Amino acid sequence: MIIDDLALLDQPNQQFQGFGLIRGAQLAQTKKGDPFYNLSIAKGPKELPVKVWSDQINGREEEVKEVLQEGRIIYFEGDTSTYQDQLQVTARSFRPVKENEVNLSEYLETAPEPIEDLQKELEGYIEEIMDPLIQEIVSTVYTKYKKPFSSYPAAVKNHHSFVGGLLYHTVCMIRLGRDVSRRYPSVNKDFIIGGITLHDASKILEYTNHIAPQYSVPGEFIGHISMSSMLVDREVQKILAARGEKAQLTKLEQEAVYQLQHCILSHHGRLEWGSPVEPKTLEAHIIHLIDMIDSRINMIDRGLAEAPEGHFTKVFPLGKIYKPSIDE
Amino acid sequence: MIIDDLALLDQPNQQFQGFGLIRGAQLAQTKKGDPFYNLSIAKGPKELPVKVWSDQINGREEEVKEVLQEGRIIYFEGDTSTYQDQLQVTARSFRPVKENEVNLSEYLETAPEPIEDLQKELEGYIEEIMDPLIQEIVSTVYTKYKKPFSSYPAAVKNHHSFVGGLLYHTVCMIRLGRDVSRRYPSVNKDFIIGGITLHDASKILEYTNHIAPQYSVPGEFIGHISMSSMLVDREVQKILAARGEKAQLTKLEQEAVYQLQHCILSHHGRLEWGSPVEPKTLEAHIIHLIDMIDSRINMIDRGLAEAPEGHFTKVFPLGKIYKPSIDE
Amino acid sequence: MIIDDLALLDQPNQQFQGFGLIRGAQLAQTKKGDPFYNLSIAKGPKELPVKVWSDQINGREEEVKEVLQEGRIIYFEGDTSTYQDQLQVTARSFRPVKENEVNLSEYLETAPEPIEDLQKELEGYIEEIMDPLIQEIVSTVYTKYKKPFSSYPAAVKNHHSFVGGLLYHTVCMIRLGRDVSRRYPSVNKDFIIGGITLHDASKILEYTNHIAPQYSVPGEFIGHISMSSMLVDREVQKILAARGEKAQLTKLEQEAVYQLQHCILSHHGRLEWGSPVEPKTLEAHIIHLIDMIDSRINMIDRGLAEAPEGHFTKVFPLGKIYKPSIDE
Amino acid sequence: MIIDDLALLDQPNQQFQGFGLIRGAQLAQTKKGDPFYNLSIAKGPKELPVKVWSDQINGREEEVKEVLQEGRIIYFEGDTSTYQDQLQVTARSFRPVKENEVNLSEYLETAPEPIEDLQKELEGYIEEIMDPLIQEIVSTVYTKYKKPFSSYPAAVKNHHSFVGGLLYHTVCMIRLGRDVSRRYPSVNKDFIIGGITLHDASKILEYTNHIAPQYSVPGEFIGHISMSSMLVDREVQKILAARGEKAQLTKLEQEAVYQLQHCILSHHGRLEWGSPVEPKTLEAHIIHLIDMIDSRINMIDRGLAEAPEGHFTKVFPLGKIYKPSIDE
Amino acid sequence: MIIDDLALLDQPNQQFQGFGLIRGAQLAQTKKGDPFYNLSIAKGPKELPVKVWSDQINGREEEVKEVLQEGRIIYFEGDTSTYQDQLQVTARSFRPVKENEVNLSEYLETAPEPIEDLQKELEGYIEEIMDPLIQEIVSTVYTKYKKPFSSYPAAVKNHHSFVGGLLYHTVCMIRLGRDVSRRYPSVNKDFIIGGITLHDASKILEYTNHIAPQYSVPGEFIGHISMSSMLVDREVQKILAARGEKAQLTKLEQEAVYQLQHCILSHHGRLEWGSPVEPKTLEAHIIHLIDMIDSRINMIDRGLAEAPEGHFTKVFPLGKIYKPSIDE
Amino acid sequence: MIIDDLALLDQPNQQFQGFGLIRGAQLAQTKKGDPFYNLSIAKGPKELPVKVWSDQINGREEEVKEVLQEGRIIYFEGDTSTYQDQLQVTARSFRPVKENEVNLSEYLETAPEPIEDLQKELEGYIEEIMDPLIQEIVSTVYTKYKKPFSSYPAAVKNHHSFVGGLLYHTVCMIRLGRDVSRRYPSVNKDFIIGGITLHDASKILEYTNHIAPQYSVPGEFIGHISMSSMLVDREVQKILAARGEKAQLTKLEQEAVYQLQHCILSHHGRLEWGSPVEPKTLEAHIIHLIDMIDSRINMIDRGLAEAPEGHFTKVFPLGKIYKPSIDE
């Protein structure tokens, strides 16, 4: 019997013909010097090691390298076996997936609300910004990067590490930020909405892709905090250029832009947590704390999803968290 | 012209007949060995040094000591002069205030919403708690200490350091806590409301009084975090005693009580900030962060109240905070 | 030849019939879905993995679960084999130990002095307390929990992690505390004895049991520091109740109780080491330091017991410790 | 006798007619409500408090405010007196300095080498950069800001806090950086020269002016580290715009720009010292350490300049530094 | 009436003829350029500012400088007055004390037990050391420095800052160390006694003198921890030299010397507290903790000596310490 | 075919006859109680596990123990096999290498410049020291330990961990130190050269040997920082002894010696990095920073030597370091 769903493989000597998402791909060499691939192939939460031996590689190295990349979905055929107590698959053949052969969402975890709804909601919030310059900056950056902004995760692991995680995290934070604004009249909602929308925006530059994200070179060298602030600066430069050669911002416009950039730069809250400046406005303090609330709740919800009730479970990086017993 | 309002004294050689709140009182000695008092007397935000010399003390030391206590309001007559560049008053006579002679709220800063409204609002929240044991514990503690709970500040300085500050801080936190509960379905609102209501409850034991609060002996030795948890334990012991000699909590009841105490004990968030345990439940994490949001907003609002716009002002312990310019 | 002493098993293909203490027990499933147990069974310092397969479980799951609990001693028969280079035993049959079949002390490490002697010594010290209220509180708590107090360890690992460890650690600390009191006349011996007796008392609540101790739910949520202080509070409440409805402690009694609780709450010495308040009395400082002396000596003595002379050995958490060469 | 050199004023009742640099200027009010100015006026290292009373202000408030600004040099006449044990001057009249009336360098501390020489030297170093893109970016930024770059200090206090300090610090660091490059062949001199030239470049934005520098609003909100990196980004955007609409950097160009920005962003060496990323290239590590060498030597040289030999002197923020005895 | 006891001066216009210990002496200049001395002169705990004007200095500057040194006792005559609210004395004449004119102990605080007794006790302990080499080293160092060892303080301020403080601190620590050795048989008493005797021995080099001690140049540059270890090395070198040209220690002797030096070098317990190595032997751990016990008790005893009962008092560097109420 | 070069062994069932350096040697026991050796034998960067079974040990235990020591080169014959996926060799016979049988440098990594050249260069620098006493001390210590000084590594791992590493690190630091001296005239070159020469000199005592270095007993107990300072003290004592019985250093000589020792003791820069005192002279600060520059460059050069270009590689303890892409 041939199994066509990766999620069903569970013992040695099964035959498989089907699809899988490459989450990890490393080219290695046998002791004899033959090339082979160690892949890690997943469907949803199921993930298995897959070997591709040299007979499938020799003579078409470049083509294989192109196909077996992290983040790609492939069709492959193979057999299961056990190696060091662990189930693995040896691929006998493989090819790239064809368009529309698979439903992507079966292979990747995605945000718990529809992306389109989240986009609409966020766009509505951006329209609420009353300062026209801040609205223009935020809206332009969002519009320009709307596609990756809607697909990238908010973190490589821990919290919101799923397709659409950045968008979902942003919207959840604004929901809470608007609640806070409603409660405390001294809060300037423009910076809450604008600052939250852009605070992690350049995660789309910090990670290599949205399916099997790694830190990119600019992610390592510059970091999303600085790059998000830089996105604001680029818009300001363009707006100035459009206004004419020697145009300058008014004093109040300039102050507003500095405040927006400050909300972004200070949102990790402390120097030792990676912010080059610490919060110095009311809104910057609030954004930092809302970020902690939303990300911790997401970490805990995800970390306890499969955990036993009435026990403590380690949820990185928070340590032990208790999942309460249920009254039966 | 005799001035009868402390707030109007502003230069030497003025005569005064009126009331004032003693915020500080220290008995000292002149070089010749005569006793005198250095008082600090206030009406609302206005505060002046007042001297009481030995001629008013000798022969009735005990009576004077009784009257000139921190937190008391007195009627006194005197004259202003300048000492080391600062205005001071020399009291020529004084007596305790009589009942209803003054409107207390003119002398003390109080919460920005009426105490009765805040009490009603908090009582409504406590009724929302669905777990009957948790509701009983929270409700009983609140009812027993309702009076000091409604008058004590939430901190000696920095944030919510006014009459009713504890109650106001508690209600503001619950408002936000309920917002968070509404946004995230995994949050158990019982612990949010119960934990917030009791998290600072024993500030009424940690400070000496609500008018000129100092740290009390149990405040220094035990601290409000441990004492608030102890108040829960005392209620549990009483409930058990009422249930009968060998009564024990059910397993679920016991777990709920532990969670409630944990929310209290962990609300400072980190060992080095004074919590003996760090947050290990979803609600404990949230309460800690909401506490930071509400107290920081209050610090900043109060710290910037008199500050110039378009400048940075030091707001202890947060450092420099910017008060934005106003569009004119 | 059948071996009847677990400590003698040392190679594959030995037959065993005898007793062992279950130190760890985990129910698992084979890939086929059959249940089996991974046990860790010990006699004194010797500890071996033991497998119980499904043929012994199926049909009597509940009974087996009852017997194969951590901390139980069982009689079992089985054979040794090697699995991944390590000796293990496959149990062919097993049953609970019968009363008096074994000498418990062969299976569990215990304090190096007889428990009864240590109890008598501690009781003598408690009688030395001169303040009647402090003596009553300390004596009542000790008497109520005398049994677990005499069997629990003082820590899950590192120092005094043996049966009677809590009692032994307590007595050793008081011995040193009395030495210090003798040397420095300003020290109040009542708090030294009372504070030491109760400082770790609620370890009996913090751990699940005394044979294979784990952190309990209240251990994680509240911690022994807060619970030990709470035990004092409960006694005070009872004493007050016995004195009559509106009874209150005298000012000096109240101060003494606060000092006793303070010695308990501050005994870890620093906020970041888990004390909610730092030492603020002479005796609190001394108790903290004596705790460090006795626990470090115990860690080092135990850590070096089997170590080679003339070498450094890692003793967690102290790092490398040298065991001196012996003059031969 | 009328004294015409501020540096010579040293006792009460002297008459003065001459020039001085306003280092501090605060408008205040007497108790009667009259305006007056507290100035701090300096010539080289000599600095005195100067009062300007209301008779000189009333009726021409705006004009006076314009003249009495920090960083301005004025001509004034007045008399010395003693106030609270300290010499001060009461100005009887004042006016702005006229062009070329004074030699600026008598009033301001400046770099120990001629500015023009330092500029030439730096320009020579920039020409040594071999990567054309890096050279273009560095050269363009330097040229655009050459004037403030040559007059601003490198720090508000501590090290290189004099006119031209930024330029001098930059050149000194490159001298040392070139020495290091010569010693270690793996070092890429382009990033050493380019990174050092730009590492503190936006100090010209972080401070308000070069004569009596304070932190500016963008200095507080964004900081020189982020702004210096932003200056690089602006040049890159302009270069791309010049190349054509959809132009992109080549992979190697992009990597070089990232490395340049990384040298700037990481030059404080650690997150807690204000860098949003820590050094991840050889050159970034070296620039950070050379920055520490040059700034510490400057702090010590300046801190010990007036200190007694054979003694320790406090040099902020390094602590006590010893100035060796001299062999006589 | 002429007062001849410094301790009795308490108001202006008193005449004084008597002795005093110079605790501080600074040569200064009036605005006119005349030299004068600001002295601080003490008898026991009483300490007053004393001025010596130029009329007593001019023409005999060198002689005066010789006499008016910190740590000297002088005879002087003068009158009291008030300056800035503080009593001070203007000396009209002065001369050095003559031998035996005064009882030194009236001017300096000394150890609470007779120095001779403490010396004898310490010598007895040193004789208890059983390892002959360790005894020889410890005994020789002690004997060589017996005089300053018996007069220097153990710290400049905080704990044991009195004449004989080093000796007293050493003896108190050994008393406790012997108690610990008696309780724990694994402790090697030789290193306890030897290590404690030498742990602070080079405080006699770290401070300038024993009467008005300041940090010396080697104290700042090298520190007592390194210098005490160096004293051991010097004895070892001498012992080896005495044994003959190429003599070496035996392996066990060498190990013992290393352990002795290690007890000295590690006695601050942590790198950040100034030890270059952290404790790696049982005895090193114990010495560090006993040092903390004895110094903290001394700080608290001294800090609370004059403090009110039933209150908290700041005891540097421990923070607030409570002095218990007394049962009346 | 018999292979005679360890570096060529690469698969099971190969026969070997040749030489190898013992980098690790541990005597162990089989379960049956037979002795065997686990060796780690290397040639250059190649390192393989080698087993020596009991048949080669029994009856000549002492002789074998003498031969199979870390740091020795042996001739051995054996066969390769695979154990747990790793290639290993079973030695059938072995003997010590004979003199001149092998070229040592094939077996050990050595400094990248010839040792003799480095020695000459260092000796030239020492001659540059102008203070005769400092020169005498530095020169004498160097001359006495020239041989180990020229062969020991500068660290066990990380940086300069090769034969001659200490000498090479010392010379590289002085090269840079002389550059710095040339740039900043206030720097005293004597202490730069002398301090650098001796700063790590006692690494020759801190490690057990130069071929397979481990921390020695004095390395653990005292550390190279204290021992290097002690080497200075020993020379001073000898110089004094040579000058005559009661000879003392002049004040300037003494100060110079203290400064030299201070440069050594403070060169780790901070207490928590193991220096007992922090830098308090200009030269001490510079030496600390030059040490960081030279060691970090060496770590990075070595850590990236084999790393792929255009990627980040972990370089302990610096974290991720980028190896730039190469323009092809």
Side-chain angles (χ1 to χ4, degrees), chain A residues 174-240:
Chain A
I174 296 182
R175 288 173 186 164
L176 217 49
R178 291 171 76 251
D179 288 341
V180 172
S181 303
R182 207 169 12 241
R183 299 285 179 203
Y184 300 90
S186 56
V187 177
N188 184 327
K189 205 173 66 173
D190 283 5
F191 296 116
I192 295 291
I193 295 175
I196 292 175
T197 303
L198 299 186
H199 84 296
D200 272 353
S202 71
K203 293 254 174 173
I204 61 177
L205 305 173
E206 187 171 54
Y207 305 144
T208 48
N209 64 70
H210 71 285
I211 290 171
Q214 305 283 329
Y215 277 86
S216 66
V217 171
E220 292 279 6
F221 273 146
I222 303 181
H224 74 279
I225 282 195
S226 298
M227 289 190 289
S228 295
S229 167
M230 216 165 60
L231 294 180
V232 171
D233 186 63
R234 286 185 191 168
E235 288 318 308
V236 171
Q237 299 309 312
K238 276 182 202 149
I239 288 166
L240 282 176

Side-chain angles (χ1 to χ4, degrees), chain B residues 82 85-86 310 312 320 322, chain D residues 31 83-84 216-217 220-221:
Chain B
T82 318
D85 261 357
Q86 203 184 356
F312 291 89
K320 289 186 196 166
Y322 190 74
Chain D
K31 279 170 195 148
Y83 177 68
Q84 292 183 341
S216 66
V217 172
E220 293 278 6
F221 273 146

Side-chain angles (χ1 to χ4, degrees), chain A residues 31-32 83-84 215-217 220-221, chain F residues 10 82 85-87 310 312 320 322:
Chain A
K31 278 171 194 147
K32 285 177 60 184
Y83 177 69
Q84 291 183 343
Y215 277 86
S216 66
V217 171
E220 292 279 6
F221 273 146
Chain F
D10 62 352
T82 318
D85 260 358
Q86 202 184 357
L87 198 69
F312 291 90
K320 289 185 195 166
Y322 190 75

Side-chain angles (χ1 to χ4, degrees), chain B residues 52-70:
Chain B
V52 177
W53 297 109
S54 58
D55 56 316
Q56 305 213 30
I57 303 169
N58 291 333
R60 49 171 196 143
E61 285 80 3
E62 282 311 300
E63 179 203 336
V64 168
K65 191 176 169 187
E66 181 61 29
V67 174
L68 299 183
Q69 281 184 40
E70 293 178 3

Side-chain angles (χ1 to χ4, degrees), chain C residues 271-328:
Chain C
L271 298 186
E272 62 266 39
W273 296 343
S275 273
V277 283
E278 302 196 342
K280 291 177 183 165
T281 64
L282 182 58
E283 294 78 18
H285 274 285
I286 292 169
I287 290 173
H288 163 58
L289 290 167
I290 287 178
D291 192 12
M292 292 184 81
I293 290 183
D294 186 57
S295 51
R296 285 197 190 173
I297 292 178
N298 192 264
M299 282 174 208
I300 293 174
D301 280 354
R302 289 164 59 86
L304 296 187
E306 309 286 317
E309 285 139 13
H311 282 86
F312 291 89
T313 298
K314 285 210 175 156
V315 175
F316 183 84
L318 300 176
K320 289 185 194 166
I321 302 291
Y322 190 73
K323 184 167 183 175
S325 302
I326 299 236
D327 192 355
E328 285 146 16

Side-chain angles (χ1 to χ4, degrees), chain B residues 280-294:
Chain B
K280 290 176 182 166
T281 64
L282 182 58
E283 293 78 17
H285 274 285
I286 292 169
I287 290 172
H288 162 58
L289 291 167
I290 287 178
D291 192 12
M292 293 184 79
I293 289 183
D294 186 57

Side-chain angles (χ1 to χ4, degrees), chain D residues 94-124:
Chain D
F94 61 89
R95 63 164 171 79
V97 70
K98 295 173 191 161
E99 201 153 347
N100 300 323
E101 265 187 332
V102 300
N103 179 351
L104 200 71
S105 70
E106 286 178 22
Y107 292 84
L108 289 168
E109 193 186 358
T110 54
E113 301 182 27
I115 297 296
E116 291 72 21
D117 294 3
L118 292 167
Q119 288 172 332
K120 285 234 178 69
E121 186 174 345
L122 178 54
E123 287 156 21

